[in-house]
Amino acid sequence: MPQIPSLPGRGLPIQVHDSTTGELVVAAEGDTATMYVCGITPYDATHIGHAATYVGFDLLNRAWRDAGHTVTHASNVTDVDDPLLERATATGVDWWDLAVEQTALLAEDMTALGVVPPDVYRGAVEAIPDVVQAVEALIEDGFAYRVPVEPGAGGDAPELGDVYADLSADARFGAVSRLSRDDMVRLFGERGGDPERDGKKDPLDPLLWRRERVGEPSWDGASLGTGRPGWHIECAVIARDGLGLPFDIQGGGADLLFPHHEMSTSHDRLLDHGFGARNHVHAGLVAYQGEKMSKSRGNLVFVSALRATGVDPMAIRLALLAHHYRSEWEWTDADLPAGVERLERWRSAVSGNGGPDADATLAAVREALANDLDAPTAL
Ligand code: ZN
């Protein structure tokens, strides 16, 4: 936990951009502020894109505190999922060792960058008993159904099948992203969904519980049978249990808007017979060498690699904050030297005796941050 200085006076109400309406909203109106920020799948921590997202939401956390809110921040780590298992198999390491190692590296990088740790932090594996109960409740209510599995799958009870959410049960499905049906089907296929899976009622219906498969880890699923949780229900349950429903903001990288946030909000609505996240806030994706930084392309810049060169992590933080959290930008060789130079200039300035009155500067910084966390202007 970093030390957070308290400043004289109080910050302004913080407006952020809601991805659903495209408008600025004061997401937290009471004394409290609640946010859920989606964590990583721990097989490739922590590239500059992750860091930009988490530093962006850390800025929101700190701006909320300065404005007088009591903040509760929940997050997860998706420590069992297809990409993690695939990476472990491809590199010949134990999937759990990989998950533990990369989760620890993320925590180390976030600590170095001064990110306030989440108040509620749970792994997918840790949350399995709660996910199982939630999926059982969805089946009971008629909001989920079983899909037969292929021969050889499903362990001792193959007849139980995988479980999928029935999106037709949620009249407000689609209200988060407001995408066309064609766009939803395309993105679902591109981002981990299985629109081609036989036996589903709707190609978009998302997986809630995947039955045991040969060579994959599985856990006791009570009446669901042995298996492991789907990704969207994992976040829906951890957010519900950690923050209560509804909560103020669900956040993450821009590529999580659909399907992940659409689906997890839908799950929370059905679980609660009410609401999920009130607002959705997304950080822009960071490019490198002309393309979006991504694990699949391999064009990653790692925070740990930058730290290993001896650079002050606060210079990395300043390099990130020089870009607005919502903008799409490209990391170049100029970013880090600019952060280093700014940090040196600031440290030199505050090391002197006296100086001008800070009230006007503080007011201007607060005004910039209240306006959709305009860090570049604040800097
Ligand atoms: Zn999530």
Side-chain angles (χ1 to χ4, degrees):
M1 179 75 182
Q3 281 196 341
I4 304 175
S6 65
L7 300 168
R10 177 167 280 195
L12 302 164
I14 306 300
Q15 292 197 305
V16 287
H17 178 270
D18 177 40
S19 301
T20 296
T21 60
E23 290 174 358
L24 294 182
V25 291
V26 175
E29 291 184 319
D31 292 340
T32 62
T34 47
M35 72 170 172
Y36 184 86
V37 183
C38 286
I40 62 163
T41 300
Y43 61 96
D44 236 350
T46 312
H47 61 68
I48 283 290
H50 296 135
T53 296
Y54 297 129
V55 166
F57 284 98
D58 185 62
L59 190 60
L60 174 58
N61 188 336
R62 287 163 178 267
W64 266 345
R65 288 165 186 254
D66 184 50
H69 296 288
T70 301
V71 180
T72 308
H73 166 205
S75 189
N76 68 307
V77 54
T78 304
D79 54 10
V80 61
D81 202 6
D82 295 340
L84 170 66
L85 300 176
E86 285 160 14
R87 172 62 64 90
T89 303
T91 53
V93 299
D94 180 81
W95 69 273
W96 184 246
D97 289 346
L98 178 62
V100 168
E101 174 196 290
Q102 294 295 307
T103 302
L105 181 57
L106 174 76
E108 199 178 288
D109 288 337
M110 292 298 108
T111 303
L113 292 175
V115 171
V116 178
D119 305 287
V120 175
Y121 187 46
R122 298 185 75 197
V125 170
E126 200 178 0
I128 283 173
D130 300 317
V131 169
V132 167
Q133 281 184 7
V135 174
E136 288 177 329
L138 291 173
I139 293 175
E140 180 100 343
D141 285 340
F143 301 154
Y145 59 95
R146 298 176 195 271
V147 172
V149 294
E150 68 280 4
D156 294 341
E159 72 284 358
L160 291 175
D162 296 330
V163 183
Y164 282 79
D166 185 349
L167 293 176
S168 71
D170 178 13
R172 281 178 291 164
F173 176 75
V176 173
S177 63
R178 298 186 179 177
L179 294 169
S180 69
R181 169 90 191 172
D182 285 351
D183 284 343
M184 287 200 273
V185 173
R186 177 177 55 80
L187 288 171
F188 187 62
E190 287 174 14
R191 296 174 178 172
D194 56 357
E196 312 285 329
R197 171 73 188 267
D198 285 337
K200 294 205 290 180
K201 293 181 180 175
D202 184 310
L204 288 176
D205 286 349
L207 178 73
L208 295 171
W209 185 252
R210 176 175 164 85
R211 290 302 319 284
E212 178 182 345
R213 300 295 199 279
V214 175
E216 293 183 10
S218 62
W219 289 264
D220 179 13
S223 70
L224 307 177
T226 47
R228 59 184 167 98
W231 176 33
H232 315 305
I233 190 71
E234 167 201 338
C235 280
V237 166
I238 294 174
R240 178 198 65 176
D241 293 350
L243 301 174
L245 297 176
F247 54 98
D248 292 323
I249 282 180
Q250 178 152 26
D255 53 351
L256 296 185
L257 173 61
F258 193 90
H260 186 51
H261 289 169
E262 187 78 60
M263 299 295 185
S264 54
T265 299
S266 173
H267 295 341
D268 271 337
R269 268 192 222 115
L270 294 177
L271 283 169
D272 190 49
H273 302 269
F275 297 93
R278 288 194 193 92
N279 305 280
H280 290 83
V281 175
H282 292 97
L285 301 179
V286 181
Y288 182 56
Q289 296 171 335
E291 287 192 279
K292 186 196 120 177
M293 209 179 283
S294 77
K295 295 168 186 180
S296 50
R297 291 190 183 89
N299 58 336
L300 302 177
V301 177
F302 291 102
V303 171
S304 51
L306 296 178
R307 287 170 49 220
T309 67
V311 67
D312 189 317
M314 289 304 99
I316 305 174
R317 185 170 171 112
L318 284 176
L320 297 172
L321 289 175
H323 300 273
H324 189 270
Y325 81 91
R326 206 151 52 75
S327 65
E328 306 270 329
W329 56 281
E330 179 165 350
W331 177 264
T332 71
D333 291 343
D335 281 278
L336 195 53
V340 169
E341 193 273 333
R342 194 194 299 269
L343 183 65
E344 281 172 3
R345 190 152 34 91
W346 283 9
R347 287 208 169 131
S348 162
V350 299
S351 69
N353 288 322
D357 189 81
D359 288 356
T361 304
L362 178 57
V365 166
R366 280 174 164 156
E367 194 180 335
L369 294 181
N371 178 25
D372 199 21
L373 304 172
D374 186 355
T377 297
L379 293 184

